[in-house]
């Protein structure tokens, strides 16, 4: 039975020079906020956290009460710590921390991912990304617009049968399970690896008539199974909480796709680059997988706006590369 706590792990990373004391504080503060969110999620109707908040966010989505509660929990935790400014899926603009200008970190988060699953007791989570400050003085939105490759840390907390924190600081991917007795995260996997091949795909099939031809080609081949070009049968999963679908992909392989579709031709995809795709893509790459927007690695994208969306294809390396090659063949008119 493991006794290595998240704090022990981060202390060792700091001692090894992999992270600074201030980055360690950002991660420990975020993790403790996630423990609080996990407690609130676990109360459900008893805690009055279910249902709609009756308001809309910058994404044009109706906010759930827990979206706001989780956002406020993370915001409150990071006042007067090691973060200069915060950005959230639930907030239009960035939020500078009073007195935090000298801090070296920027924190971005999706405070509650999978909101459509809150009221039906299906796994949801918090996704976070840490970027370095690149300027001095008052923090501007432009300072947040860094490619995902610049992240200093990324992770998520999944509120499922277990509450687990999955984290990378660039030294592979570690998994911590919340010990509810002590309230501490304990290290349960020290080097998560994504299998390079898979027989499992995750996509919202109800959008299939709107997909681009390369996506339709790939999924059709999966559906034909051993009777088609792939020569093997595939399984499908779609939880509709990115954090849960990605956790499954990280845990046993798979390919997760939320691609561009023609419902909104000018929108690259549904998922947000800065606080969904970038942190998840770094975790997947650190675990030996791949993550592209069908054209290039997601982590290489230069953001143009804080809440910009992106097409996401991530998971088992060989499958992601296959889908990307189908897009390239289409471009070359093969
Ligand atoms: P959020 O709840 O933060 O808005 O994110 C929901 C996202 C993502 O978690 C999931 O993969 C996707 O929406 C599901 O979309 P569909 O409901 O269209 O399948
Ligand atoms: Mn989300
Ligand atoms: Mn969300």
């Amino acid at each position: 039975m493991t006794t290595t706590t998240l704090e022990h792990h981060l202390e060792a990373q700091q001692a090894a020079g992999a992270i600074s004391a201030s980055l360690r504080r950002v991660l420990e503060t975020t993790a403790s906020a996630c423990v609080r969110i996990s407690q609130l999620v676990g109360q459900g109707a008893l805690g009055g956290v279910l249902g709609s908040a009756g308001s809309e966010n910058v994404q044009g989505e109706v906010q759930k009460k827990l979206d706001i509660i989780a956002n406020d929990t993370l915001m409150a935790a990071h006042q007067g710590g090691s973060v200069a400014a915060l950005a959230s899926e639930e907030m239009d603009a960035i939020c500078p921390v009073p007195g935090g200008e000298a801090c070296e970190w920027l924190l971005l988060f999706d405070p509650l991912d999978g909101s459509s699953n809150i009221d039906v007791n299906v796994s949801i989570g918090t996704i976070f990304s840490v970027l370095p400050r690149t300027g001095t003085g008052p923090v501007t939105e432009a300072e947040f617009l860094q490619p995902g490759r610049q992240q200093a840390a990324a992770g998520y907390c999944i509120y499922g049968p277990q509450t687990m924190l999955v984290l990378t600081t660039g030294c592979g991917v570690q998994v911590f399970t919340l010990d509810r007795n002590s309230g501490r995260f304990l290290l349960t996997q020290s080097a998560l690896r994504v299998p390079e091949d898979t027989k499992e795909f995750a996509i919202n099939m109800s959008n299939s008539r709107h997909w681009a031809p390369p996506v339709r080609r790939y999924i059709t081949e999966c559906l034909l199974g051993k009777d088609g070009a792939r020569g093997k049968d595939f399984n499908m999963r779609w939880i509709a909480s990115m954090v849960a679908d990605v956790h499954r992909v990280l845990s046993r392989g798979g390919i997760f796709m939320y691609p561009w579709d023609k419902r909104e031709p000018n929108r690259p995809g549904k998922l947000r680059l800065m606080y969904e795709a970038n942190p998840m893509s770094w975790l997947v790459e650190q675990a030996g997988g791949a993550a592209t927007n069908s054209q290039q690695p997601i982590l290489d994208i230069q953001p143009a706006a804080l809440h910009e969306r992106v097409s996401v294809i991530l998971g088992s390396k060989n499958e992601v590369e296959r889908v990307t090659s189908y897009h390239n063949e289409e471009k070359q008119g093969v």
Side-chain angles (χ1 to χ4, degrees), residues 61 89 110 112-116 204 238 240-243 256 258 270-272 276:
E61 295 158 347
E89 177 187 271
D110 175 357
L112 211 292
D113 174 69
S115 304
S116 66
N204 183 334
W238 187 250
S241 293
M242 183 187 197
V243 71
F256 169 91
Y258 213 117
K270 171 177 183 180
L271 300 176
R272 279 63 50 144
E276 289 176 316

Side-chain angles (χ1 to χ4, degrees), residues 30-87:
T30 302
S32 64
C34 289
V35 172
R36 177 66 187 133
I37 295 168
S38 174
Q39 289 163 345
L40 292 165
V41 167
Q43 289 173 15
L46 302 178
V49 299
L50 302 183
S52 170
S55 48
E56 211 175 78
N57 63 15
V58 64
Q59 324 285 341
E61 295 158 347
V62 173
Q63 293 174 304
K64 298 280 193 176
K65 286 179 191 165
L66 211 45
D67 284 325
I68 296 173
I69 292 167
N71 188 70
D72 293 350
T73 302
L74 285 155
M75 294 291 292
H78 282 288
Q79 299 308 307
S82 314
V83 170
L86 301 144

Side-chain angles (χ1 to χ4, degrees), residues 16-29:
I19 62 171
S20 64
S22 61
L23 180 56
R24 178 180 161 194
R25 265 197 307 278
V26 174
L27 297 174
E28 288 175 351
T29 304

